[in-house]
Amino acid sequence: MKKIAILGSTGSIGTQTLEVVEYNQDIQVTALAAGSNIKLLEEQIRRFHPALVCVWDEKKARELATAVADLDVKVTSGMEGLLEVATEPQAEIVVTAIVGMIGIRPTIAAMEAGKDIALANKETLVTAGHIIMPLAREKQVRILPVDSEHSAIFQSLNGEDYKKIHKILLTASGGPFRGWTRERLEGVQVEDALKHPNWSMGRKITIDSSTMVNKGLEVMEARWLFGVEMDQVQVVVQPQSVIHSMVEFEDGAVIAQLGTPDMKLPIQYALYYPERRDLPGDRLDFAKLKQITFEAPDMDVFWGLKLAYEAGTRGGTLPTVYNAANEYAVDKFLKKEISYLKIIDMIEGAMIHHEVKENPNVEQILAAEQEAYDYIESRW
Ligand code: NAD
Ligand code: MG
């Protein structure tokens, strides 16, 4: 039996991870953490019998403890609880399916406790990649990518020497507003931005996909995971979401991973790596598909992607400011407090205002996050 803990079990990645667990029957879930959806968490506890759970919200945690008083499960809350779940002694792999920079501390704690990380929480790598990657080497733990593009790159690199990577070709669907002008984007409403053409995901990442900030975060995620420079990661728009990403090697060979858009594949691949297992689901039918098309991303309209290259190339605390400003702005947009294009204005404004600190430690990263929030709050 493989033993895992899941941070963010009630979300899109978390619930699909549990579907993979259910299908395989040889994984034991030892700990779960979620934000506030205690109804679903209770169902998960009754089905998977973890020894430990955490609910971020303290009041909800108390409610849950009462609801599951008949079971042998410990209920915790807050950051202390998250760290406890991340370091639950039995778990070998921690799935980081929590959304946002809140994932940094639990991910580091899990690694320090010797756990392998099945990493979905890209915000952690974007802001603290310079801490996470060396720590993984020091603690000899694996960072197994769950993000579909990074899993595709990881699969394309099987048996290859990472030093021979010439370029990473990171594919993007282009989102629901591909081909639009900036003027047309001005009127975008929350409901429009939540309609992704190919993938069904959590709300924050769906908005990020529509602005292409998600792709920007993924470029930075790829640079850390595969040890390349920012300018070695090239975004290729491929609207059908069939090619999940590619690697071009020094000799010009390009290796790609293709498939239908289904996050269960990268999740299962991360949990069982290097073993490949059966997975039910749709298969690619090339006769039906007929064509796969490519375009360059429009970085003038989707300038959030351009800003990501600037943030990643400059480095230090700037990727944190990029990410924090985006998290803050997306939250405001989802609450209908700001217009769509304000999201990118806020990122740009916070980046211009910020004084970059080199090689920040976790405290400095969290301080830069707070500074970005405070600046946006005072400025808008
Ligand atoms: P989601 O919003 O559907 O789920 C987030 C989960 O985190 C929920 O279970 C929520 O309860 C939990 N959570 C949030 N704040 C918390 C807190 N403070 N304490 C404890 N739990 C908390 O998000 P998602 O789409 O599953 O995405 C999760 C992460 O995976 C993100 O970083 C996202 O970028 C990444 N990712 C998602 C997909 C996808 O297909 N959904 C693909 C690639 C990468
Ligand atoms: Mg992705």
Side-chain angles (χ1 to χ4, degrees), residues 45-275:
I45 295 168
R46 294 194 181 275
R47 202 164 191 148
F48 297 98
H49 310 290
L52 173 70
V53 300
C54 166
V55 184
W56 179 257
D57 185 296
E58 202 183 322
K59 191 168 150 271
K60 292 264 172 75
R62 278 197 300 272
E63 267 177 57
L64 179 71
T66 310
V68 296
D70 58 315
L71 299 174
D72 192 13
V73 56
K74 180 178 170 190
V75 182
T76 60
S77 71
M79 182 50 81
E80 214 170 293
L82 262 186
L83 295 173
E84 207 175 324
V85 167
T87 55
E88 195 281 326
Q90 302 173 73
E92 303 148 57
I93 302 182
V94 176
V95 181
T96 62
I98 202 166
V99 58
M101 281 180 69
I102 186 96
I104 297 179
R105 289 184 58 205
T107 305
I108 291 177
M111 293 168 71
E112 277 172 346
K115 321 278 188 202
D116 286 335
I117 306 293
L119 185 131
N121 178 249
K122 61 189 78 178
E123 295 91 345
T124 288
L125 219 45
V126 166
T127 56
H130 61 289
I131 296 171
I132 301 288
M133 298 314 290
L135 185 64
R137 282 189 288 276
E138 183 195 325
K139 298 288 171 190
Q140 299 191 344
V141 298
R142 297 182 299 184
I143 309 285
L144 303 154
V146 167
D147 210 338
S148 59
E149 294 79 3
H150 305 77
S151 176
I153 297 161
F154 188 53
Q155 293 178 56
S156 301
L157 283 165
N158 246 337
E160 301 285 351
D161 180 352
Y162 282 30
K163 288 195 210 73
K164 306 286 176 182
I165 301 173
H166 177 60
K167 229 197 246 177
I168 285 174
L169 299 157
L170 191 79
T171 54
S173 72
F177 310 130
R178 184 175 56 87
W180 286 34
T181 59
R182 247 199 229 202
E183 293 67 45
R184 209 175 153 200
L185 286 179
E186 263 162 26
V188 166
Q189 300 298 309
V190 172
E191 297 71 25
D192 310 323
L194 283 176
K195 281 187 209 123
H196 194 278
N198 305 329
W199 296 94
S200 155
M201 310 177 284
R203 285 158 64 85
K204 192 245 173 194
I205 183 176
T206 305
I207 301 297
D208 290 353
S209 298
S210 78
T211 57
M212 291 200 81
V213 164
N214 180 54
K215 215 41 64 179
L217 297 172
E218 290 184 354
V219 172
M220 294 190 256
E221 184 184 8
R223 113 15 126 86
W224 288 118
L225 278 171
F226 307 110
V228 297
E229 299 299 328
M230 285 294 291
D231 62 7
Q232 282 178 285
V233 187
Q234 182 186 337
V235 175
V236 178
V237 175
Q238 188 266 266
Q240 298 80 11
S241 295
V242 166
I243 303 179
H244 297 311
S245 278
M246 315 179 250
V247 180
E248 184 191 309
F249 293 90
E250 280 183 350
D251 61 358
V254 177
I255 299 189
Q257 184 253 326
L258 286 70
T260 52
D262 181 355
M263 285 308 296
K264 288 198 283 300
L265 192 154
I267 293 169
Q268 178 168 283
Y269 192 77
L271 293 179
Y272 287 101
Y273 176 79
E275 189 189 344

